[in-house]
Amino acid sequence: MKTLVTPLIALVLALPLAACGERPQANDPAADTTLGQKVREATDVARKQLAEGNISVSKHSGAKVEIAPDGSLLINDAAVPLDAGQRALALRYREQVVAVADAGIEIGVQGANLGVRAAGEAIKGVFSGDTSQIEQRINAEAEQLKARAAKICDQLPALLATQQQLAAAVPAFKPYATMDQGSIDKCRDGQVELP
């Protein structure tokens, strides 16, 4: 019964997507579905903002802490004076935060694509009567996606080290350097907690 229920639930969930012209592409897991393309378009805007705008690096005690693309450190919109070494640390920290955010964005796009492909597979399985391999294929793709998401956590120790260096070099930043080993551990346990 479970084998039939899963595709039927997926079918019900997929009908609105089908009505919107969604074309799942089960043969090429790397290809964006129509929904994935829309998600990618939206995330491209976010990526551009990350690259060109100030990025928030702390939400501690209501303070607004940002690093500008040129490495300027802003606390509540006021620039903190930095020497060349401090600015280089701020830039490195910014680059690492952007890399983590970018990896998260890409996982989100891949997750949207997987959802659409899973719905398409379920629909095909229901109509063809061949549902035996669907769950196995989708679960395998989901596990690959989960493994890629876990690699984001592998970037956090370097981010933590840079954050600590920046906090040591720029005392004004120290109260906002709240990431610690517990943040990395939570990430590895599947809980999202980034700086």
Side-chain angles (χ1 to χ4, degrees):
M1 181 71 171
K2 180 184 175 204
T3 306
L4 182 59
V5 171
T6 302
L8 287 176
I9 291 172
L11 174 62
V12 169
L13 294 173
L15 288 176
L17 294 176
C20 294
E22 206 48 56
R23 304 271 190 269
Q25 301 170 2
N27 295 337
D28 184 4
D32 283 346
T33 60
T34 303
L35 177 62
Q37 289 170 354
K38 295 294 182 195
V39 171
R40 187 170 301 282
E41 288 169 12
T43 58
D44 284 348
V45 171
R47 284 183 168 121
K48 184 176 181 185
Q49 290 173 340
L50 282 171
E52 297 175 1
N54 294 351
I55 60 165
S56 175
V57 293
S58 180
K59 296 175 186 163
H60 179 70
S61 302
K64 180 176 153 186
V65 182
E66 299 175 312
I67 300 177
D70 68 356
S72 298
L73 176 63
L74 306 165
I75 299 177
N76 293 323
D77 295 321
V80 175
L82 301 176
D83 63 29
Q86 293 167 324
R87 186 173 302 275
L89 276 172
L91 274 171
R92 183 171 3 134
Y93 185 62
R94 176 190 162 79
E95 289 167 4
Q96 290 170 328
V97 169
V98 168
V100 169
D102 190 56
I105 288 170
E106 186 58 32
I107 294 298
V109 171
Q110 292 172 8
N113 286 324
L114 177 60
V116 171
R117 281 195 300 275
E121 288 282 320
I123 291 169
K124 285 193 302 190
V126 167
F127 289 117
S128 71
D130 179 20
T131 60
S132 60
Q133 301 291 321
I134 294 171
E135 188 172 354
Q136 184 179 1
R137 283 194 307 267
I138 296 303
N139 284 342
E141 274 192 66
E143 284 302 314
Q144 290 174 356
L145 187 60
K146 187 176 175 182
R148 281 180 279 212
K151 289 186 180 190
I152 294 174
C153 301
D154 295 341
Q155 297 178 41
L156 297 185
L159 182 65
L160 174 60
T162 304
Q163 182 193 58
Q164 290 174 337
Q165 292 170 359
L166 183 58
V170 182
F173 178 69
K174 189 172 186 169
Y176 309 107
T178 58
M179 183 181 175
D180 59 17
Q181 183 60 44
S183 303
I184 297 169
D185 296 339
K186 285 181 180 180
C187 180
R188 291 194 170 128
D189 289 340
Q191 302 171 32
V192 177
E193 184 176 300
L194 300 175

